Amino acid sequence: MRRRVLPGFGLSLGFAVTYLGLIVLLPLAALAWKASDVGFAGILKLLASPRTLAALKLSFGGALLAAGINVVVGLMVTWALVRYRFPGRRILDALIDLPFALPTAVAGIALTAIYAPNGWFGRWLVPLGIQVAYTPLGVLLAMVFVGFPFVVRTLQPVLQSLEQDVEDAAESLGATGLQTFLRVVLPTLVPTLLTGFALALARAVGEYGSVIFIAGNIPLRSEIAPLLIVQRLDEFDYATAAALGVVMLAFSLVLLVLVSALQRWTRRWAEQSA
Amino acid sequence: MTAGRPGRPASVARRLGRASIIVASILFLCLFLVVPLASVFVEAFRQGAHAFVESIDQPEAMAAIRLTLLVAAITVPLNVVFGIAAAWAMTRFQFRGKALLGALIDLPLSVSPVVTGLLYVLMFGAQGWFGPWLAAHGIKIIFAVPGLVLATIFITLPFVARELIPLMQSQGSEEEEVARVLGASGLQTFFRVTLPNIRWALLYGVLLCNARAMGEFGAVSVVSGHIRGLTTTMPLEVEMRYNEYNYVGAFAIASLLALLALLTLAVKSALEWRYQAAENH
């Protein structure tokens, strides 16, 4: 009977639940209260303006695309970090977490300074017709930046623990490196890549600080949904802000459930192959 | 891949593939991570060290730095206590609803910072749940320091707990049970057995929690009201200066935050290397 030996069950659980209740659940209840005031039909009506729809489309579409880019690039970078040895590897490995550690407002103004028409990269890209700052492309770039560590850090431990015997076997049977990768390695990484995708997506959809500076926030073109929430709150239009908040929160919750299901799948997969 | 392993000579195609993956990865990380980081410092010193110092040695900047430290000084200890309590309950006892508790701890990670701010405005704002009551009693939460603290606590709530739970799960409770059986009190068991076992993970969690608490932007931006000298933390001061076209001033404050990020990364990597070295022994 473990419960009898170690003390503090009531105290620790009581404190944790009360704290979560006050900090997380109560504010969520306030949103639910506001949303039920407006009603489901009311929420849809509040969201039906072209400007709001454009912002939601940019936020969700941009985040999906950014998460996809992160999966491809993240897989390549993780592969290089785990499987190869090269000078500077440990420094680069430590730098992967930079988008986690760097405050979003700092990342936002830094990216804008680089990609603005007179910036380090902007002055070369703009004459080529590639305008990044103050366009949807800038939004996408910032979203890739903030989501990048999620894919690498999810994938890294799995790739490290992957047994290379199977790959050796495939190759001794005559498979090329590419065939081995596509048919043997990639299928085992699918659940992990999906988890990384979902985490990067969740982060990018809600991202605010690093996006708003480079976005330029042009209505119907480069305005993201979180910015609209801020604008509605500035106008004391709590109902529309709450309606947008409910949509974004619902999406986050669906992703959260999806991620935990994916992680259970990954664990089962690992246990089966062990 | 197998190219570096003994026994089989690497083919030319394989070595080419390997080299291109390494070069592409280094190039991507440099252009995508190193250049933005470097640009913060370059822009901050664009008009020389004198302008840099001058833009930090100002009352609003100092007030922003003090407020940022204050918010972190309240937030981090509270979330440490919560993290330890939650990890203790979740890893040392069996109870119904444990999975739900775990999911709730993770929840703030997937909520948009702006939505977090919105939640608190709906609760404490002028037209919010408790708004009329607070106004009648002369208490200000939104557009004041308490709002900044609450929003920051929400955002950083998972960081300590998430480091401790998997570690305490894998360590198990045998050592603590032995201490109890040998006559140690609950507190003695915690301070002499549990705490030494989790100290590195705890430090790691504190580090991440602190970095986020000092750097949080979206959530505090919604509840701050941007009152200079009173409710602007460092990231908000960066935003205000940037919007006033005071670029050197904005990047000067930003460079301090970037230094904090670099320091966090350095300590984090040192802890990880230490941890890995300990594991390999």
Side-chain angles (χ1 to χ4, degrees):
Chain A
M1 287 295 281
R2 222 164 247 196
R3 194 169 300 192
R4 298 279 174 273
V5 182
L6 291 178
F9 176 65
L11 183 69
S12 60
L13 186 65
F15 179 79
V17 169
T18 312
Y19 193 84
L20 269 174
L22 289 176
I23 296 290
V24 178
L25 290 180
L26 198 61
L28 285 175
L31 179 65
W33 162 74
K34 192 76 205 174
S36 68
D37 238 22
V38 180
F40 188 69
I43 289 178
L44 289 184
K45 217 174 113 195
L46 287 171
L47 298 181
S49 83
R51 194 168 161 192
T52 309
L53 289 176
L56 285 170
K57 214 172 109 190
L58 178 61
S59 274
F60 288 105
L64 276 169
L65 196 56
I69 293 171
N70 272 329
V71 164
V72 175
V73 181
L75 179 59
M76 177 188 78
V77 170
T78 316
W79 188 270
L81 289 175
V82 171
R83 289 294 175 92
Y84 303 144
R85 295 291 169 268
F86 52 93
R89 185 183 64 91
R90 287 182 105 182
I91 300 283
L92 289 179
D93 192 357
L95 267 179
I96 298 287
D97 286 320
L98 184 74
F100 276 150
L102 197 67
T104 54
V106 178
I109 63 170
L111 290 175
T112 314
I114 295 170
Y115 290 96
N118 60 351
W120 294 2
F121 294 167
R123 80 178 58 151
W124 303 103
L125 291 174
V126 170
L128 297 174
I130 307 169
Q131 178 104 34
V132 179
Y134 320 125
T135 68
L137 191 59
V139 175
L140 181 69
L141 185 91
M143 284 175 166
V144 173
F145 182 84
V146 293
F148 182 67
F150 288 91
V151 175
V152 177
R153 291 305 185 221
T154 311
L155 195 57
Q156 212 167 14
V158 177
L159 203 54
Q160 262 159 0
S161 64
L162 207 64
E163 295 292 338
Q164 288 185 34
D165 310 7
V166 199
E167 293 163 51
D168 290 346
E171 277 167 33
S172 70
L173 291 172
T176 66
L178 193 64
Q179 281 174 329
T180 311
F181 176 76
L182 291 177
R183 305 238 181 116
V184 179
V185 181
L186 202 56
T188 60
L189 296 179
V190 166
T192 316
L193 287 171
L194 282 174
T195 307
F197 178 85
L199 290 172
L201 176 62
R203 177 68 203 259
V205 161
E207 181 54 28
Y208 178 68
S210 44
V211 176
I212 53 161
F213 295 99
I214 198 168
N217 308 323
I218 306 153
L220 296 171
R221 187 165 144 76
S222 62
E223 246 178 0
I224 53 166
L227 180 77
L228 283 193
I229 295 182
V230 173
Q231 289 175 353
R232 295 294 88 82
L233 282 176
D234 284 344
E235 297 158 3
F236 296 99
D237 178 4
Y238 285 16
T240 311
L244 278 162
V246 164
V247 172
M248 303 214 59
L249 194 66
F251 186 75
S252 312
L253 292 181
V254 169
L255 273 184
L256 195 68
V257 171
L258 194 72
V259 167
S260 70
L262 279 169
Q263 276 163 346
R264 272 200 301 279
W265 181 24
T266 317
R267 259 201 304 279
R268 258 210 315 277
W269 193 306
E271 277 159 14
Q272 273 171 7
S273 59
Chain B
M1 260 164 55
T2 43
R5 298 167 116 202
R8 206 181 313 143
S11 70
V12 176
R14 170 149 302 179
R15 264 187 286 177
L16 211 64
R18 191 175 86 137
S20 49
I21 287 177
I22 292 176
V23 169
S25 297
I26 294 178
L27 209 64
F28 173 80
L29 292 176
C30 285
L31 293 180
F32 201 64
L33 299 180
V34 178
V35 169
L37 182 65
S39 80
V40 174
F41 295 99
V42 172
E43 296 290 332
F45 286 97
R46 177 147 293 220
Q47 288 165 23
H50 186 69
F52 174 85
V53 172
E54 206 160 65
S55 56
I56 288 183
D57 190 18
Q58 276 181 11
E60 318 96 77
M62 285 300 158
I65 293 171
R66 269 198 304 273
L67 182 60
T68 302
L69 294 175
L70 174 73
V71 169
I74 299 171
T75 304
V76 175
L78 282 173
N79 279 340
V80 165
V81 174
F82 166 75
I84 292 174
W88 183 260
M90 282 190 61
T91 61
R92 295 299 179 257
F93 304 100
Q94 293 305 324
F95 55 90
R96 273 206 278 177
K98 197 192 262 193
L100 183 67
L101 186 64
L104 275 178
I105 293 173
D106 281 349
L107 183 72
L109 291 177
S110 46
V111 176
S112 165
V114 168
V115 173
T116 302
L118 168 74
L119 295 179
Y120 282 98
V121 171
L122 291 178
M123 201 153 83
F124 297 120
Q127 309 164 37
W129 225 352
F130 299 116
W133 187 87
L134 290 170
H137 290 78
I139 304 169
K140 254 186 114 59
I141 291 183
I142 298 304
F143 304 153
V145 177
L148 298 175
V149 172
L150 283 171
T152 310
I153 290 179
F154 182 106
I155 294 281
T156 58
L157 180 139
F159 288 98
V160 177
R162 275 175 64 94
E163 293 306 323
L164 294 185
I165 290 168
L167 180 73
M168 286 172 70
Q169 193 82 61
S170 69
Q171 283 179 343
S173 56
E174 280 89 13
E175 288 184 37
E176 284 139 3
E177 282 162 20
V178 168
R180 286 290 284 167
V181 169
L182 292 175
S185 74
L187 280 180
Q188 279 175 329
T189 308
F190 177 75
F191 283 106
R192 305 242 179 112
V193 180
T194 311
L195 204 54
N197 277 339
I198 61 170
R199 62 179 190 269
W200 296 120
L202 186 63
L203 184 59
Y204 194 107
V206 166
L207 205 69
L208 299 182
C209 182
N210 180 65
R212 186 67 196 262
M214 290 190 172
E216 177 49 30
F217 176 72
V220 294
S221 163
V222 172
V223 297
S224 139
H226 295 83
I227 309 163
R228 245 207 178 119
L230 289 178
T231 65
T232 47
T233 58
M234 289 165 77
L236 297 175
E237 184 67 26
V238 169
E239 180 201 18
M240 289 177 81
R241 289 181 169 197
Y242 189 86
N243 288 341
E244 290 159 359
Y245 305 103
N246 175 6
Y247 293 132
V248 169
F251 277 102
I253 306 250
S255 71
L256 297 181
L257 289 167
L259 268 184
L260 172 76
L262 280 179
L263 192 71
T264 304
L265 285 186
V267 178
K268 180 175 176 292
S269 304
L271 279 175
E272 275 167 0
W273 292 339
R274 194 196 164 102
Y275 200 71
Q276 276 163 9
E279 251 182 6
N280 292 338
H281 283 150

